[in-house]
mmCIF file of all heavy atoms in Angstrom:
data_model
loop_
_atom_site.group_PDB
_atom_site.id
_atom_site.type_symbol
_atom_site.label_atom_id
_atom_site.label_comp_id
_atom_site.label_asym_id
_atom_site.label_seq_id
_atom_site.Cartn_x
_atom_site.Cartn_y
_atom_site.Cartn_z
ATOM 1 N N GLY R 370 -2.515 18.832 3.030
ATOM 2 C CA GLY R 370 -2.738 17.410 2.655
ATOM 3 C C GLY R 370 -1.427 16.674 2.300
ATOM 4 O O GLY R 370 -1.203 15.544 2.603
ATOM 5 N N GLY R 371 -0.635 17.378 1.470
ATOM 6 C CA GLY R 371 0.582 16.765 1.020
ATOM 7 C C GLY R 371 1.556 16.494 2.153
ATOM 8 O O GLY R 371 2.258 15.404 2.224
ATOM 9 N N GLN R 372 1.603 17.405 3.116
ATOM 10 C CA GLN R 372 2.462 17.182 4.301
ATOM 11 C C GLN R 372 1.987 16.032 5.138
ATOM 12 O O GLN R 372 2.813 15.256 5.670
ATOM 13 C CB GLN R 372 2.473 18.464 5.193
ATOM 14 C CG GLN R 372 3.264 19.632 4.493
ATOM 15 C CD GLN R 372 3.058 21.012 5.204
ATOM 16 O OE1 GLN R 372 2.126 21.169 5.944
ATOM 17 N NE2 GLN R 372 3.876 21.929 4.852
ATOM 18 N N LYS R 373 0.697 15.866 5.309
ATOM 19 C CA LYS R 373 0.168 14.731 6.035
ATOM 20 C C LYS R 373 0.562 13.398 5.356
ATOM 21 O O LYS R 373 0.992 12.446 5.955
ATOM 22 C CB LYS R 373 -1.382 14.821 6.125
ATOM 23 C CG LYS R 373 -1.838 15.914 7.068
ATOM 24 C CD LYS R 373 -3.334 16.018 7.113
ATOM 25 C CE LYS R 373 -3.803 17.126 8.040
ATOM 26 N NZ LYS R 373 -5.282 17.304 8.068
ATOM 27 N N GLN R 374 0.460 13.419 3.992
ATOM 28 C CA GLN R 374 0.877 12.166 3.279
ATOM 29 C C GLN R 374 2.329 11.887 3.496
ATOM 30 O O GLN R 374 2.689 10.718 3.746
ATOM 31 C CB GLN R 374 0.582 12.303 1.799
ATOM 32 C CG GLN R 374 -0.930 12.467 1.440
ATOM 33 C CD GLN R 374 -1.583 11.146 1.588
ATOM 34 O OE1 GLN R 374 -1.502 10.469 2.645
ATOM 35 N NE2 GLN R 374 -2.411 10.724 0.637
ATOM 36 N N ARG R 375 3.169 12.930 3.443
ATOM 37 C CA ARG R 375 4.635 12.721 3.662
ATOM 38 C C ARG R 375 4.860 12.250 5.084
ATOM 39 O O ARG R 375 5.753 11.384 5.296
ATOM 40 C CB ARG R 375 5.389 13.959 3.310
ATOM 41 C CG ARG R 375 5.340 14.346 1.823
ATOM 42 C CD ARG R 375 6.530 15.313 1.496
ATOM 43 N NE ARG R 375 6.490 16.521 2.202
ATOM 44 C CZ ARG R 375 5.876 17.608 1.784
ATOM 45 N NH1 ARG R 375 5.076 17.596 0.742
ATOM 46 N NH2 ARG R 375 5.898 18.763 2.473
ATOM 47 N N LEU R 376 4.132 12.723 6.012
ATOM 48 C CA LEU R 376 4.299 12.304 7.421
ATOM 49 C C LEU R 376 3.920 10.822 7.580
ATOM 50 O O LEU R 376 4.629 10.081 8.191
ATOM 51 C CB LEU R 376 3.437 13.146 8.347
ATOM 52 C CG LEU R 376 3.350 12.706 9.842
ATOM 53 C CD1 LEU R 376 4.806 12.665 10.426
ATOM 54 C CD2 LEU R 376 2.449 13.585 10.651
ATOM 55 N N PHE R 377 2.842 10.393 6.914
ATOM 56 C CA PHE R 377 2.460 9.016 7.055
ATOM 57 C C PHE R 377 3.504 8.082 6.320
ATOM 58 O O PHE R 377 3.732 7.005 6.827
ATOM 59 C CB PHE R 377 1.063 8.810 6.513
ATOM 60 C CG PHE R 377 -0.034 9.282 7.435
ATOM 61 C CD1 PHE R 377 -0.969 10.211 7.013
ATOM 62 C CD2 PHE R 377 -0.068 8.863 8.749
ATOM 63 C CE1 PHE R 377 -1.985 10.689 7.858
ATOM 64 C CE2 PHE R 377 -1.099 9.314 9.551
ATOM 65 C CZ PHE R 377 -2.011 10.154 9.182
ATOM 66 N N ILE R 378 4.029 8.530 5.310
ATOM 67 C CA ILE R 378 5.122 7.764 4.664
ATOM 68 C C ILE R 378 6.317 7.656 5.592
ATOM 69 O O ILE R 378 6.898 6.578 5.826
ATOM 70 C CB ILE R 378 5.556 8.370 3.317
ATOM 71 C CG1 ILE R 378 4.430 8.304 2.330
ATOM 72 C CG2 ILE R 378 6.820 7.597 2.751
ATOM 73 C CD1 ILE R 378 4.711 9.015 0.995
ATOM 74 N N ALA R 379 6.741 8.775 6.210
ATOM 75 C CA ALA R 379 7.835 8.829 7.201
ATOM 76 C C ALA R 379 7.532 7.866 8.347
ATOM 77 O O ALA R 379 8.426 7.085 8.775
ATOM 78 C CB ALA R 379 8.090 10.208 7.682
ATOM 79 N N LEU R 380 6.337 7.818 8.869
ATOM 80 C CA LEU R 380 5.942 6.932 9.936
ATOM 81 C C LEU R 380 6.015 5.464 9.475
ATOM 82 O O LEU R 380 6.403 4.639 10.237
ATOM 83 C CB LEU R 380 4.468 7.302 10.415
ATOM 84 C CG LEU R 380 4.336 8.680 11.109
ATOM 85 C CD1 LEU R 380 2.862 8.913 11.418
ATOM 86 C CD2 LEU R 380 5.171 8.708 12.448
ATOM 87 N N ALA R 381 5.533 5.233 8.283
ATOM 88 C CA ALA R 381 5.577 3.865 7.736
ATOM 89 C C ALA R 381 7.066 3.370 7.586
ATOM 90 O O ALA R 381 7.269 2.186 7.605
ATOM 91 C CB ALA R 381 4.857 3.800 6.431
ATOM 92 N N LEU R 382 7.990 4.292 7.467
ATOM 93 C CA LEU R 382 9.367 3.955 7.212
ATOM 94 C C LEU R 382 10.226 3.894 8.434
ATOM 95 O O LEU R 382 11.399 3.502 8.390
ATOM 96 C CB LEU R 382 9.996 4.900 6.193
ATOM 97 C CG LEU R 382 9.451 4.876 4.777
ATOM 98 C CD1 LEU R 382 10.037 5.959 3.906
ATOM 99 C CD2 LEU R 382 9.617 3.449 4.130
ATOM 100 N N LEU R 383 9.642 4.241 9.589
ATOM 101 C CA LEU R 383 10.410 4.291 10.830
ATOM 102 C C LEU R 383 11.027 2.992 11.207
ATOM 103 O O LEU R 383 12.136 2.924 11.720
ATOM 104 C CB LEU R 383 9.496 4.821 11.959
ATOM 105 C CG LEU R 383 9.518 6.249 12.216
ATOM 106 C CD1 LEU R 383 8.467 6.681 13.270
ATOM 107 C CD2 LEU R 383 10.901 6.695 12.783
ATOM 108 N N GLY R 384 10.317 1.886 10.890
ATOM 109 C CA GLY R 384 10.833 0.547 11.199
ATOM 110 C C GLY R 384 11.855 0.050 10.251
ATOM 111 O O GLY R 384 12.258 -1.066 10.370
ATOM 112 N N GLN R 385 12.256 0.831 9.253
ATOM 113 C CA GLN R 385 13.213 0.418 8.239
ATOM 114 C C GLN R 385 12.680 -0.811 7.532
ATOM 115 O O GLN R 385 13.383 -1.837 7.490
ATOM 116 C CB GLN R 385 14.596 0.228 8.831
ATOM 117 C CG GLN R 385 15.178 1.494 9.489
ATOM 118 C CD GLN R 385 16.468 1.315 10.054
ATOM 119 O OE1 GLN R 385 17.543 1.640 9.486
ATOM 120 N NE2 GLN R 385 16.512 0.785 11.301
ATOM 121 N N PRO R 386 11.454 -0.833 7.043
ATOM 122 C CA PRO R 386 10.792 -1.985 6.545
ATOM 123 C C PRO R 386 11.366 -2.421 5.195
ATOM 124 O O PRO R 386 11.902 -1.651 4.470
ATOM 125 C CB PRO R 386 9.359 -1.614 6.376
ATOM 126 C CG PRO R 386 9.403 -0.092 6.125
ATOM 127 C CD PRO R 386 10.542 0.417 6.944
ATOM 128 N N GLN R 387 11.233 -3.708 4.942
ATOM 129 C CA GLN R 387 11.525 -4.250 3.633
ATOM 130 C C GLN R 387 10.439 -4.075 2.621
ATOM 131 O O GLN R 387 10.597 -3.996 1.457
ATOM 132 C CB GLN R 387 11.916 -5.740 3.750
ATOM 133 C CG GLN R 387 13.096 -6.104 4.524
ATOM 134 C CD GLN R 387 13.488 -7.571 4.415
ATOM 135 O OE1 GLN R 387 13.554 -8.074 3.428
ATOM 136 N NE2 GLN R 387 13.726 -8.162 5.627
ATOM 137 N N ILE R 388 9.182 -3.959 3.220
ATOM 138 C CA ILE R 388 7.980 -3.769 2.383
ATOM 139 C C ILE R 388 7.215 -2.601 3.014
ATOM 140 O O ILE R 388 7.024 -2.481 4.172
ATOM 141 C CB ILE R 388 7.124 -4.976 2.451
ATOM 142 C CG1 ILE R 388 7.870 -6.232 1.979
ATOM 143 C CG2 ILE R 388 5.840 -4.814 1.616
ATOM 144 C CD1 ILE R 388 7.171 -7.579 2.262
ATOM 145 N N VAL R 389 6.635 -1.755 2.109
ATOM 146 C CA VAL R 389 5.779 -0.666 2.571
ATOM 147 C C VAL R 389 4.504 -0.742 1.771
ATOM 148 O O VAL R 389 4.519 -0.864 0.529
ATOM 149 C CB VAL R 389 6.440 0.662 2.480
ATOM 150 C CG1 VAL R 389 6.818 1.102 1.103
ATOM 151 C CG2 VAL R 389 5.578 1.802 3.095
ATOM 152 N N VAL R 390 3.351 -0.620 2.465
ATOM 153 C CA VAL R 390 2.005 -0.610 1.863
ATOM 154 C C VAL R 390 1.470 0.740 1.851
ATOM 155 O O VAL R 390 1.352 1.417 2.904
ATOM 156 C CB VAL R 390 1.109 -1.585 2.555
ATOM 157 C CG1 VAL R 390 -0.292 -1.516 1.943
ATOM 158 C CG2 VAL R 390 1.645 -2.987 2.517
#
Side-chain angles (χ1 to χ4, degrees):
Q372 289 168 344
K373 289 177 180 177
Q374 293 290 47
R375 294 202 297 274
L376 173 59
F377 284 124
I378 294 175
L380 292 172
L382 295 174
L383 266 171
Q385 303 178 96
Q387 296 187 47
I388 303 167
V389 63
V390 177

